[in-house]
Amino acid sequence: MALNLRQKQTECITRMLNLNQPVNATGTANEEVYKILIYDKFCQNILSPLISVKDLRKHGVTLYFLIDKDRKPVHDVPAVYFVQANQSNIQRIIADASRSLYDTFHLNFSSAVPRLLLEDIASGTLSSDSIQRIAKVHDQYLEFVTLEDNLFSLAQKSSFVQLNDPSAGDREIEEIVERIVTGLFCVLATLAVVPIIRCPRGGPAEMVASALDQRLRDHLLSKNNLFTEGGSFTSSFQRPVLCIFDRNFELSVAIQHDFRYRALVHDVLGLRLNRLSVQGEKGGMKSFELDSSDPFWVANGLLEFPEVAVEIETQLNKYKKDVDEVNRRTGGTDGAEFDGTDLMGNTKHLMNAVNSLPELTERKQVIDKHTNIATVLLGEIKERSLDSYAKKENEMLVRGTIDRNELLGVLRGKGTKLDKLRFAIMYLISSESINQSEAESVEAALRESEVDTSAFQYVKKLKSLNVSMASANSASRNNIVDWAEKFYAVTAGVKNLLSSDRQLALPRTVEALMEGKPNPEIDNYLIFDPRTPKSGSGSSHLKGPFKEAIVFMIGGGNYVEYGSLQELVQHQQPVKHVIYGTTEILTGVEFIEQLTLLGHKMGFGSSTAAPTP
Amino acid sequence: MSRIRDRTEDLKDAVRQTALSLGYNESKLAAVLASFIIHKPRQRSAFTKAALKTLESIEALEQFMLKHRKDYVDHHRTTEQERDSIEHEVSTFIKACQEQIDILKNSINNEEANSKGWLGVKADATNADTIAHKHGVVLILSERLHSVTTQFDQLRAIRFQDAINKAMPRRKLQRKANSDSVDTSKSSTSELKEPDEFQPDRLRVQQQLLDDETRALQVELTSLLDAVQETETKMVEMSALNHLMSTHVLQQAQQIEVLYDQAVEATMNVELGNKELNQAIQRNSSSRTFLMLFLFVLTFSILFLDWYS
């Protein structure tokens, strides 16, 4: 039973569009066949990768609007609202109801709507005497964006900055943790599983894990809960494991230049919600959709770029051969031979050709799309010499050092400012110890190229604190606001910044967690099981081998991690299944911007000593 | 899924509390809460009623097709005539649904035209959103009809394919039978030849002539039969191809019409443009003559004034 998040979310949305009646109702449900869909910006992002306009029409949705737009009344039509549960949306709904824009209102909120807002709706609609228009209110628990079958994102911006901000207060951190827990709860509710939660000690991961555990326990105690699993002692084989990590666990993945197709398209061209707009070959912007319905994308997403170009060539040649064959069979062959059998065969071929034409045109379209994308990518790579960046960073990570002249040469060579900054930070992360003079020369070179070095200094500070605090241990674990406590999480995980055999630390750890054998790396990870009572015994089965895992990265993730997780899982026997999720999908550039913000907040890395416990 | 997602009960509680706080008396409270359970009968516009009726008829068509599908495809259940009658019924039904959809579309366009005519006196029901909604309804209906017709086309294609296949093996069998019979007749004549040695020559020659004639006739007739059957299969194939082409052409017919209209408009525009250009040229030349005349007159008047004073 592979967990397919995209399919489950689509089912929920289909059910919602059918006004939450059973989907196969025949006959009597015809009264309300035509409806209008209204959503807000966040829910538009949820819907766009899952449903196209044609599918909406199949379910009877004739019009769809943003909730903020000025809308005119359309009588005798029910309206389906799919919005987030916040004050402005509620006010808008009350205004719409008072103006009697539509016949009936079916309200669906993307997460649990708090009691207060329900009372607001009640009072607003009562005072305008339009309460009879509100037919139903549902909580959909769909507050996350699913991009592929097993990739999701919570679309919460700047969570890394907010969590690592030195000036963040207690309340703010708790708010962010609350939001992340709500998003994760929605994911689990849609999948209808109660997983076993494992996370490293300390830091945001532990906070999120304990809060989520509490939330699940409270929910399971209430009657009619959402999780219809039977029995409280189902073997660990059936339940997945939810691994929560913090971005500081492995910083290098978010920063480095990767050369695989999917990661390149995301990083260089800006793939958002499976949509991409590039400069077309004849000028003018073209927009493409890249998701699981594109066979080339699915098959070749994890290949390196040169191999992808080769693949496009082979596909194009195959297509040309097929077209030639069709033409030869049916087109103007030499003379009209009125031989009986030949003519009969000809007409049959003609029929086959006409039937296969749509398929051929589709293939051609896919090939054209990828050729276009590859051409634009190639231009960018040449301009910024991204291939040399990727290769050198790889070498740095594997060897652990780099020749000083080479380093400075790269920093003065081609590439945008952010490329150079990323390279410099990768150098920092990959070297075992910071050679002070080298670091200074690197900084000087960066400043020459007019690069804002605050991110560089922030990472340098991180590393220096890591070295000095390697000894400080379990002292201040209870005080979650302590500034040093945040770095403690970094110390525990920062040794993973160096992955010596070029396998990323995250897939390695996940593999260890899924196998359940004793392993020094993961032995001190915490375990939470929301189903057993707090003082429960029998934790042995909780570490057992798992067939499925949900990996969640707080602070931002990207396609490189997703790709490496998928590769890991496919090579295992028996085939296991991993879902990867994060608070938001970040390109390298966006992550550097967050690091720069943090550097600014720390005052350009000025030497203020962190308060030791 | 489970009941916890449905928050209507919580909303009802909230309504009850708020109503009490606002000071509603009992009857009002009861009326408000009853509205949750009993929904008022909905008044529908004429358009929606017509749309729902059309939807019902399309669904009836689908049911009819599903019912007779097995009869249609299977060889032994129905005769050719019955299949033809089914086809005929289905196509008339499709035409009727298409007409209904066209009526709906025309009614939208009429309303649009009417509302544009009365500047500012627009009725409430004819705003942009309602018109868009009606267009959406018509689009959904036509898509539904389209899917039903494609299903029917597939059935017809199966029927044609079976007809072709039936013709093909018959031909092959016939050919084989022909070649066998020719061989057997040859062998039989060679056998017959030996005992005929002893009969008188005249009879033998006559018999041989007769045999030759009959054989020639046989060959001619079989070849005729072959040709006829070939033409039959070719006709069947041609009709199948014709049908295929016609479906494709019909699909493109609308586009072709739009293109045609646009081309006609374009020619009209070009003509108008030509006229305007001609007028501009004329005006240009006439204004030039006026300007020259004006300057001429002015210079002469200046000279005159100069000479005068």
Side-chain angles (χ1 to χ4, degrees):
Chain A
M1 189 203 56
L3 298 172
N4 190 336
L5 187 58
R6 188 191 160 102
Q7 190 191 24
K8 295 221 161 126
Q9 203 179 18
T10 319
E11 273 174 22
C12 287
I13 291 189
T14 320
R15 198 182 57 204
M16 172 181 80
L17 287 178
N18 277 303
L19 304 178
N20 291 300
Q21 286 153 6
V23 183
N24 295 326
T26 54
T28 56
N30 265 337
E31 289 281 305
E32 314 207 341
V33 157
Y34 303 116
K35 38 192 105 76
I36 296 188
L37 175 66
I38 302 177
Y39 44 74
D40 66 353
K41 211 115 216 317
F42 189 81
C43 296
Q44 189 182 26
N45 289 342
I46 298 180
L47 288 173
S48 73
L50 291 177
I51 297 198
S52 66
V53 175
K54 223 162 33 129
D55 291 333
L56 278 181
R57 272 209 294 270
K58 227 177 7 166
H59 294 293
V61 176
T62 56
L63 294 175
Y64 44 92
F65 295 114
L66 266 181
I67 195 172
D68 297 327
K69 244 178 58 166
D70 199 20
R71 283 165 280 124
K72 307 269 187 348
V74 181
H75 300 297
D76 65 59
V77 179
V80 176
Y81 278 77
F82 181 46
V83 291
Q84 271 188 311
N86 56 29
Q87 189 62 256
S88 61
N89 286 338
I90 300 280
Q91 292 304 321
R92 198 61 213 253
I93 293 177
I94 297 179
D96 290 343
S98 331
R99 282 171 59 201
S100 301
L101 280 183
Y102 311 108
D103 194 28
T104 46
F105 287 65
H106 297 258
L107 305 177
N108 298 285
F109 294 102
S110 55
S111 62
V113 54
R115 187 81 198 200
L116 212 54
L117 291 179
L118 274 181
E119 287 173 11
D120 282 344
I121 300 179
S123 53
T125 45
L126 265 182
S127 45
S128 62
D129 197 24
S130 51
I131 187 74
Q132 70 271 20
R133 293 209 176 268
I134 302 205
K136 292 219 172 259
V137 177
H138 283 266
D139 293 334
Q140 291 295 339
Y141 291 107
L142 286 176
E143 202 159 4
F144 55 95
V145 180
T146 308
L147 294 171
E148 309 239 346
D149 280 353
N150 38 20
L151 171 68
F152 71 88
S153 138
L154 295 183
Q156 289 175 0
K157 299 209 169 300
S158 313
S159 39
F160 185 73
V161 172
Q162 286 165 354
L163 281 173
N164 290 317
D165 192 348
S167 59
D170 209 355
R171 210 166 33 92
E172 282 143 7
I173 301 268
E174 276 183 17
E175 258 178 41
I176 302 172
V177 169
E178 236 348 272
R179 271 196 307 163
I180 299 180
V181 166
T182 315
L184 271 179
F185 185 75
C186 293
V187 173
L188 295 177
T190 312
L191 288 173
V193 292
V194 179
I196 295 177
I197 308 177
R198 300 210 62 175
C199 65
R201 285 182 194 275
E206 188 182 345
M207 289 191 263
V208 167
S210 52
L212 182 64
D213 178 56
Q214 192 57 43
R215 183 97 175 247
L216 282 171
R217 271 181 212 277
D218 293 339
H219 188 79
L220 285 173
L221 285 176
S222 68
K223 54 183 174 115
N224 305 330
N225 62 48
L226 289 164
F227 304 99
T228 52
E229 266 182 333
S232 52
F233 288 107
T234 33
S235 72
S236 59
F237 235 68
Q238 302 287 344
R239 291 167 69 183
V241 59
L242 169 64
C243 319
I244 306 184
F245 296 98
D246 182 46
R247 184 73 263 168
N248 288 317
F249 181 75
E250 189 172 14
L251 268 183
S252 62
V253 175
I255 303 179
Q256 68 183 68
H257 293 95
D258 194 82
F259 214 54
R260 279 175 274 209
Y261 191 39
R262 215 180 268 193
L264 266 179
V265 169
H266 177 234
D267 205 12
V268 175
L269 297 177
L271 176 74
R272 280 209 70 232
L273 293 174
N274 292 342
R275 284 200 160 272
L276 180 66
S277 26
V278 291
Q279 193 75 13
E281 281 165 16
K282 301 189 179 80
M285 300 296 288
K286 283 205 228 158
S287 143
F288 298 120
E289 218 177 278
L290 292 168
D291 60 1
S292 42
S293 67
D294 183 341
F296 188 84
W297 179 250
V298 167
N300 303 319
L302 295 173
L303 293 179
E304 303 251 336
F305 185 64
E307 294 163 17
V308 168
V310 167
E311 264 298 311
I312 296 183
E313 276 288 320
T314 34
Q315 293 279 342
L316 189 61
N317 289 337
K318 221 171 19 154
Y319 168 78
K320 281 197 189 136
K321 215 163 46 136
D322 286 338
V323 166
D324 282 339
E325 201 173 315
V326 166
N327 277 338
R328 190 170 44 89
R329 287 229 199 122
T330 66
T333 47
D334 24 329
E337 306 172 5
F338 286 109
D339 191 7
T341 50
D342 227 22
L343 202 51
M344 173 107 101
N346 249 349
T347 43
K348 240 201 182 77
H349 289 150
L350 190 61
M351 274 179 78
N352 287 342
V354 172
N355 284 337
S356 67
L357 272 178
E359 188 202 320
L360 281 176
T361 34
E362 231 186 81
R363 267 171 63 183
K364 185 70 168 48
Q365 269 178 3
V366 167
I367 295 178
D368 277 342
K369 175 166 82 169
H370 283 280
T371 319
N372 206 348
I373 296 179
T375 325
V376 176
L377 261 185
L378 191 60
E380 287 277 329
I381 291 179
K382 279 215 182 87
E383 202 185 298
R384 291 156 61 174
S385 73
L386 287 175
D387 49 339
S388 74
Y389 273 112
K391 206 164 53 122
K392 294 217 173 78
E393 280 172 10
N394 218 346
E395 274 174 25
M396 274 201 302
L397 281 174
V398 168
R399 275 194 306 182
T401 101
I402 185 173
D403 182 34
R404 179 185 182 136
N405 292 331
E406 215 179 312
L407 172 67
L408 292 175
V410 167
L411 286 176
R412 295 202 177 100
K414 286 205 281 186
T416 69
K417 301 188 198 166
L418 290 167
D419 285 335
K420 295 182 187 161
L421 185 57
R422 279 161 79 175
F423 189 72
I425 297 186
M426 287 303 294
Y427 156 70
L428 257 191
I429 292 178
S430 61
S431 44
E432 295 272 336
S433 59
I434 305 181
N435 184 338
Q436 201 54 20
S437 61
E438 263 195 37
E440 304 251 314
S441 56
V442 166
E443 263 185 68
L446 281 179
R447 275 202 209 96
E448 260 176 40
S449 324
E450 298 168 15
V451 176
D452 185 2
T453 52
S454 24
F456 184 80
Q457 285 158 359
Y458 176 73
V459 178
K460 200 165 68 159
K461 178 110 198 207
L462 267 186
K463 270 210 90 144
S464 60
L465 276 172
N466 172 31
V467 169
S468 72
M469 290 189 60
S471 50
N473 235 319
S474 48
S476 60
R477 205 182 314 175
N478 295 327
N479 192 354
I480 61 172
V481 185
D482 196 39
W483 166 229
E485 163 59 25
K486 295 196 193 71
F487 278 99
Y488 177 72
V490 172
T491 66
V494 120
K495 61 181 181 282
N496 286 319
L497 290 175
L498 329 162
S499 23
S500 53
D501 55 349
R502 198 60 197 105
Q503 196 202 19
L504 301 175
L506 184 69
R508 235 186 21 233
T509 325
V510 169
E511 187 180 349
L513 282 171
M514 277 175 82
E515 273 179 28
K517 303 200 182 88
N519 187 332
E521 265 184 40
I522 61 163
D523 269 346
N524 62 344
Y525 275 24
L526 299 169
I527 308 181
F528 295 93
D529 184 5
R531 277 204 186 261
T532 59
K534 271 246 163 89
S535 56
S537 55
S539 63
S540 57
H541 78 283
L542 293 177
K543 285 192 191 163
F546 294 99
K547 259 166 82 173
E548 287 163 8
I550 308 174
V551 177
F552 188 72
M553 176 64 73
I554 305 178
N558 61 10
Y559 280 92
V560 180
E561 258 182 342
Y562 174 58
S564 48
L565 270 177
Q566 293 306 315
E567 268 179 13
L568 162 81
V569 158
Q570 274 163 12
H571 290 156
Q572 285 196 343
Q573 306 287 350
V575 175
K576 304 196 181 177
H577 198 78
V578 170
I579 300 182
Y580 174 70
T582 151
T583 46
E584 51 174 339
I585 305 241
L586 292 171
T587 63
V589 168
E590 289 166 4
F591 191 66
I592 293 289
E593 281 170 18
Q594 294 198 8
L595 282 180
T596 317
L597 263 181
L598 279 176
H600 283 166
K601 290 206 185 189
M602 282 179 61
F604 272 165
S606 54
S607 51
T608 47
T612 46
Chain B
M1 251 188 192
S2 52
R3 296 193 290 277
I4 201 170
R5 290 185 191 250
D6 191 346
R7 304 291 295 276
T8 322
E9 294 293 325
D10 294 341
L11 183 64
K12 266 175 42 177
D13 283 339
V15 165
R16 191 180 298 129
Q17 283 179 5
T18 332
L20 287 174
S21 70
L22 284 179
Y24 277 20
N25 56 11
E26 281 300 316
S27 59
K28 259 190 175 179
L29 190 62
V32 163
L33 288 177
S35 71
F36 271 108
I37 314 175
I38 314 170
H39 296 286
K40 258 202 299 208
R42 208 168 285 123
Q43 302 110 343
R44 295 184 178 289
S45 71
F47 181 85
T48 327
K49 280 194 214 145
L52 284 176
K53 241 193 345 194
T54 318
L55 184 65
E56 271 178 37
S57 39
I58 294 182
E59 285 190 355
L61 172 66
E62 220 179 326
Q63 295 292 334
F64 177 78
M65 257 183 48
L66 278 177
K67 224 178 16 163
H68 291 276
R69 180 196 213 123
K70 264 204 267 181
D71 300 339
Y72 189 77
V73 172
D74 196 9
H75 289 296
H76 309 295
R77 282 204 194 199
T78 46
T79 63
E80 292 291 321
Q81 268 183 346
E82 281 182 29
R83 272 189 224 136
D84 284 335
S85 72
I86 292 179
E87 259 182 51
H88 186 67
E89 264 188 63
V90 170
S91 38
T92 36
F93 214 106
I94 290 179
K95 257 186 240 150
C97 293
Q98 186 65 37
E99 274 172 22
Q100 282 182 353
I101 295 182
D102 285 335
I103 291 177
L104 284 173
K105 226 190 292 189
N106 288 337
S107 78
I108 303 178
N109 291 337
N110 286 343
E111 275 188 41
E112 239 179 303
N114 280 346
S115 73
K116 280 192 191 146
W118 308 351
L119 298 161
V121 196
K122 247 191 237 187
D124 193 25
T126 58
N127 54 45
D129 282 357
T130 322
I131 294 178
H133 165 73
K134 290 185 183 167
H135 276 300
V137 171
V138 168
L139 194 58
I140 295 182
L141 279 174
S142 46
E143 273 184 2
R144 195 77 195 275
L145 188 62
H146 189 69
S147 66
V148 171
T149 37
T150 34
Q151 278 182 24
F152 184 60
D153 279 341
Q154 280 173 357
L155 288 181
R156 264 210 272 197
I158 298 179
R159 182 186 174 190
F160 278 128
Q161 200 62 34
D162 288 339
I164 295 177
N165 286 344
K166 248 194 288 188
M168 270 261 287
R170 227 191 298 147
R171 229 170 57 102
K172 282 209 183 122
L173 278 173
Q174 277 290 346
R175 262 217 197 144
K176 269 200 176 168
N178 278 348
S179 50
D180 286 344
S181 62
V182 164
D183 287 336
T184 46
S185 61
K186 274 204 196 131
S187 54
S188 60
T189 44
S190 59
E191 278 173 21
L192 280 172
K193 266 196 184 154
E194 281 145 39
D196 283 352
E197 293 283 351
F198 307 111
Q199 284 196 359
D201 284 336
R202 277 180 304 151
L203 284 176
R204 209 179 50 188
V205 168
Q206 261 190 354
Q207 261 189 344
Q208 254 192 338
L209 278 175
L210 278 176
D211 283 337
D212 284 336
E213 261 185 56
T214 40
R215 238 176 282 135
L217 266 179
Q218 209 180 14
V219 165
E220 213 184 296
L221 284 175
T222 41
S223 64
L224 263 182
L225 190 61
D226 265 344
V228 163
Q229 274 174 344
E230 252 187 66
T231 28
E232 184 191 19
T233 46
K234 277 191 207 146
M235 286 298 299
V236 167
E237 265 194 22
M238 269 211 309
S239 66
L241 275 175
N242 238 347
H243 175 72
L244 191 64
M245 292 296 163
S246 66
T247 40
H248 283 271
V249 164
L250 271 177
Q251 279 174 6
Q252 299 172 354
Q254 231 188 13
Q255 285 175 331
I256 295 175
E257 263 192 54
V258 166
L259 282 173
Y260 176 70
D261 286 334
Q262 282 184 347
V264 165
E265 248 189 77
T267 43
M268 274 182 13
N269 285 341
V270 167
E271 270 178 56
L272 283 174
N274 274 337
K275 269 190 234 157
E276 300 282 329
L277 276 174
N278 284 335
Q279 276 185 13
I281 291 173
Q282 275 180 4
R283 278 198 208 119
N284 201 7
S285 53
S286 67
S287 63
R288 220 183 302 148
T289 41
F290 265 124
L291 197 64
M292 298 299 290
L293 198 61
F294 191 56
L295 287 173
F296 229 53
V297 164
L298 275 180
T299 16
F300 272 123
S301 60
I302 287 178
L303 287 172
F304 178 66
L305 286 171
D306 188 43
W307 173 78
Y308 191 64
S309 58

